[in-house]
PDB file of all heavy atoms in Angstrom:
ATOM      1  N   LEU A1362     165.201 254.810 143.751  1.00 98.00           N
ATOM      2  CA  LEU A1362     166.206 254.592 142.685  1.00 98.00           C
ATOM      3  C   LEU A1362     166.768 253.224 142.857  1.00 98.00           C
ATOM      4  O   LEU A1362     167.469 252.936 143.851  1.00 98.00           O
ATOM      5  CB  LEU A1362     167.306 255.613 142.741  1.00 98.00           C
ATOM      6  CG  LEU A1362     168.273 255.435 141.546  1.00 98.00           C
ATOM      7  CD1 LEU A1362     167.656 255.873 140.240  1.00 98.00           C
ATOM      8  CD2 LEU A1362     169.590 256.137 141.794  1.00 98.00           C
ATOM      9  N   PRO A1410     183.717 241.211 147.704  1.00 85.00           N
ATOM     10  CA  PRO A1410     182.828 240.074 147.909  1.00 85.00           C
ATOM     11  C   PRO A1410     181.353 240.475 147.854  1.00 85.00           C
ATOM     12  O   PRO A1410     180.494 239.581 147.832  1.00 85.00           O
ATOM     13  CB  PRO A1410     183.167 239.655 149.325  1.00 85.00           C
ATOM     14  CG  PRO A1410     183.672 240.869 150.022  1.00 85.00           C
ATOM     15  CD  PRO A1410     184.344 241.698 148.951  1.00 85.00           C
ATOM     16  N   CYS A1444     170.923 263.370 160.693  1.00 98.00           N
ATOM     17  CA  CYS A1444     171.688 262.599 159.702  1.00 98.00           C
ATOM     18  C   CYS A1444     171.868 261.184 160.305  1.00 98.00           C
ATOM     19  O   CYS A1444     171.700 261.024 161.538  1.00 98.00           O
ATOM     20  CB  CYS A1444     173.049 263.257 159.378  1.00 98.00           C
ATOM     21  SG  CYS A1444     174.156 263.386 160.766  1.00 98.00           S
ATOM     22  N   THR A1457     181.069 244.770 168.399  1.00 97.00           N
ATOM     23  CA  THR A1457     180.265 245.882 168.866  1.00 97.00           C
ATOM     24  C   THR A1457     180.530 246.063 170.364  1.00 97.00           C
ATOM     25  O   THR A1457     180.761 247.208 170.853  1.00 97.00           O
ATOM     26  CB  THR A1457     178.792 245.650 168.641  1.00 97.00           C
ATOM     27  OG1 THR A1457     178.581 245.456 167.253  1.00 97.00           O
ATOM     28  CG2 THR A1457     177.954 246.877 169.109  1.00 97.00           C
ATOM     29  N   PHE A1490     171.612 255.318 165.890  1.00 98.00           N
ATOM     30  CA  PHE A1490     172.482 255.655 164.750  1.00 98.00           C
ATOM     31  C   PHE A1490     171.893 256.828 163.970  1.00 98.00           C
ATOM     32  O   PHE A1490     172.164 256.994 162.775  1.00 98.00           O
ATOM     33  CB  PHE A1490     172.738 254.423 163.887  1.00 98.00           C
ATOM     34  CG  PHE A1490     173.554 253.404 164.589  1.00 98.00           C
ATOM     35  CD1 PHE A1490     172.951 252.419 165.358  1.00 98.00           C
ATOM     36  CD2 PHE A1490     174.957 253.488 164.574  1.00 98.00           C
ATOM     37  CE1 PHE A1490     173.735 251.495 166.076  1.00 98.00           C
ATOM     38  CE2 PHE A1490     175.733 252.587 165.296  1.00 98.00           C
ATOM     39  CZ  PHE A1490     175.096 251.578 166.048  1.00 98.00           C
ATOM     40  N   VAL A1583     208.456 267.740 147.014  1.00 98.00           N
ATOM     41  CA  VAL A1583     207.723 268.789 147.710  1.00 98.00           C
ATOM     42  C   VAL A1583     207.680 268.491 149.219  1.00 98.00           C
ATOM     43  O   VAL A1583     207.903 269.404 150.053  1.00 98.00           O
ATOM     44  CB  VAL A1583     206.284 268.914 147.135  1.00 98.00           C
ATOM     45  CG1 VAL A1583     205.510 269.894 147.996  1.00 98.00           C
ATOM     46  CG2 VAL A1583     206.333 269.373 145.670  1.00 98.00           C
ATOM     47  N   VAL A1657     179.407 266.235 163.252  1.00 98.00           N
ATOM     48  CA  VAL A1657     178.305 267.206 163.277  1.00 98.00           C
ATOM     49  C   VAL A1657     178.724 268.419 164.057  1.00 98.00           C
ATOM     50  O   VAL A1657     178.479 269.588 163.628  1.00 98.00           O
ATOM     51  CB  VAL A1657     177.025 266.593 163.890  1.00 98.00           C
ATOM     52  CG1 VAL A1657     175.953 267.614 164.119  1.00 98.00           C
ATOM     53  CG2 VAL A1657     176.472 265.456 163.009  1.00 98.00           C
ATOM     54  N   GLY A1663     181.464 275.591 162.683  1.00 97.00           N
ATOM     55  CA  GLY A1663     182.191 276.286 161.645  1.00 97.00           C
ATOM     56  C   GLY A1663     183.666 275.872 161.577  1.00 97.00           C
ATOM     57  O   GLY A1663     184.434 276.345 160.736  1.00 97.00           O
ATOM     58  N   LEU A1670     182.584 271.434 148.972  1.00 98.00           N
ATOM     59  CA  LEU A1670     182.729 270.126 148.336  1.00 98.00           C
ATOM     60  C   LEU A1670     181.428 269.654 147.634  1.00 98.00           C
ATOM     61  O   LEU A1670     181.482 268.719 146.844  1.00 98.00           O
ATOM     62  CB  LEU A1670     183.127 269.073 149.400  1.00 98.00           C
ATOM     63  CG  LEU A1670     184.371 269.423 150.250  1.00 98.00           C
ATOM     64  CD1 LEU A1670     184.701 268.286 151.185  1.00 98.00           C
ATOM     65  CD2 LEU A1670     185.544 269.764 149.325  1.00 98.00           C
TER      66      LEU A1670
END
Side-chain angles (χ1 to χ4, degrees):
L1362 182 73
C1444 63
T1457 303
F1490 292 90
V1583 174
V1657 171
L1670 306 184

